[in-house]
Amino acid sequence: MVNSIVSISDVKFSYPAGIAALKDVSFEVAQGERVALLGPNGSGKSTLILLIAGLLMPNSGEIRVFGEKTTSKNFQMVRSRIGVVFQDPDDQLFTPSVIEDIEYGPKNLSLPDEYIKAQSGYVLEKLGIPHLKHRPPHRLSFGEKKKVSLATALVLKPELLILDEPTANLDLVSRRGLIDTLNELSKAGTTVIISTHDVEAIPELVDRIVVISHGLKLGEGKTCEVLLNKNMLEQSGLEQPAIVNLFTEFKNQGLINKIPLNIEEGKEVLLKILKNHPQ
């Protein structure tokens, strides 16, 4: 793949108890792409996230990020180009205040104080959480913690942003804000990899999907191709998005030719149906 940011070749990984989490997984992610690792809980996608970030090492196979092997001694040099947001924000937040958590990474890299303050203020405003600046993280709601976790990653302006189940347990407002923020980052050139089983959010978040099930890659393709592949999704223990199920019925009845994947597209198609078939 041209301008590959992440290259995964025949990767196997087993935990010490002998549980095989990944079996010969291979795929690539190009610069600027938005890719989802889609699979049910326990499929191995969170393990894959940790491997890409260099927090776990493969038993066999190879992972390269920005051209550097994750097993290389030099991989530490590219870590500052990668932002990781864990599924559980309590795994990421550990200082007495929100601002200290956000500034921890830049200070650890010995960046200038003036830059750190400016960039921290920017991400706080961007995520709509400047009022949380001096709050202790353990006193925040789960959705607020998620936003702070994202801020700790964004403050370093990562070229590659990796998120594990970013929409899990978010209320509708926080979910909408997160989707909008990730899409803005993508438009600005950030490469985004998302591990998720949330098929409802995927159409707005990614351009391509890699389906993972029981440690195996079942397939990959454009978002529309994968979400319309009912057999593949069912094989991996997932269902199609509700909007796909609904408009598949319309297509089966000959009312439409193309199935919409998000609400805005669905509204347009529904209005056309009503216009062409008035009661």
Side-chain angles (χ1 to χ4, degrees):
M1 185 178 290
V2 180
N3 295 326
S4 177
I5 291 286
V6 176
S7 178
I8 299 172
S9 303
D10 302 318
V11 166
K12 293 182 180 178
F13 181 84
S14 296
Y15 286 99
I19 300 171
L22 293 170
K23 310 163 191 174
D24 295 315
V25 173
S26 300
F27 65 90
E28 296 190 6
V29 178
Q31 182 176 359
E33 265 199 305
R34 304 181 302 165
V35 176
L37 306 178
L38 178 64
N41 291 329
S43 61
K45 59 189 188 299
S46 292
T47 299
L48 190 49
I49 286 287
L50 296 175
L51 286 162
I52 295 171
L55 300 175
L56 291 176
M57 298 296 122
N59 298 134
S60 64
E62 179 182 280
I63 300 176
R64 288 180 179 269
V65 182
F66 297 112
E68 194 71 53
K69 290 183 182 180
T70 57
T71 53
S72 166
K73 292 181 181 179
N74 295 326
F75 189 70
Q76 188 66 31
M77 297 173 62
V78 304
R79 284 188 186 275
S80 63
R81 302 168 70 183
I82 305 170
V84 181
V85 181
F86 298 115
Q87 179 177 355
D88 186 348
D90 288 327
D91 292 337
Q92 198 151 348
L93 307 176
F94 57 90
T95 69
S97 69
V98 166
I99 190 62
E100 288 175 90
D101 262 318
I102 294 172
E103 293 182 347
Y104 180 84
K107 285 183 176 179
N108 199 42
L109 293 173
S110 300
L111 297 177
D113 288 342
E114 187 175 324
Y115 173 85
I116 293 174
K117 288 183 179 179
Q119 186 62 14
S120 298
Y122 172 78
V123 296
L124 283 166
E125 290 289 343
K126 190 71 176 173
L127 295 173
I129 54 172
H131 59 291
L132 302 179
K133 183 176 180 178
H134 299 296
R135 295 268 300 277
H138 69 275
R139 295 285 181 87
L140 304 179
S141 70
F142 189 87
E144 289 171 334
K145 288 179 182 179
K146 280 271 195 178
K147 291 179 182 179
V148 175
S149 294
L150 182 57
T152 65
L154 297 185
V155 72
L156 291 172
K157 294 184 176 180
E159 297 171 57
L160 171 63
L161 182 61
I162 305 171
L163 305 100
D164 193 3
E165 299 289 359
T167 60
N169 301 312
L170 289 183
D171 58 55
L172 291 177
V173 173
S174 296
R175 177 189 175 97
R176 180 74 265 158
L178 176 67
I179 290 172
D180 289 345
T181 299
L182 293 179
N183 286 335
E184 286 179 23
L185 289 169
S186 177
K187 289 177 182 177
T190 304
T191 303
V192 179
I193 299 176
I194 296 171
S195 163
T196 186
H197 64 272
D198 185 356
V199 293
E200 303 295 341
I202 275 186
E204 293 187 85
L205 282 172
V206 300
D207 310 303
R208 190 160 64 88
I209 297 173
V210 178
V211 181
I212 306 290
S213 180
H214 301 293
L216 297 168
K217 186 185 83 171
L218 289 188
E220 64 179 299
K222 294 180 180 179
T223 299
C224 57
E225 295 171 347
V226 173
L227 293 183
L228 293 177
N229 191 332
K230 187 176 182 179
N231 289 336
M232 183 192 292
L233 292 176
E234 288 182 346
Q235 189 179 349
S236 63
L238 298 167
E239 295 182 344
Q240 290 178 302
I243 193 167
V244 172
N245 275 326
L246 173 63
F247 283 91
T248 295
E249 281 298 313
F250 292 145
K251 185 177 181 183
N252 291 340
Q253 293 178 31
L255 297 174
I256 59 173
N257 295 317
K258 183 180 178 182
I259 298 173
L261 295 181
N262 59 54
I263 296 297
E264 289 305 314
E265 290 177 358
K267 285 179 181 177
E268 291 181 14
V269 172
L270 195 54
L271 287 171
K272 288 180 181 178
I273 293 174
L274 293 172
K275 183 178 179 180
N276 295 329
H277 298 82
Q279 296 297 320

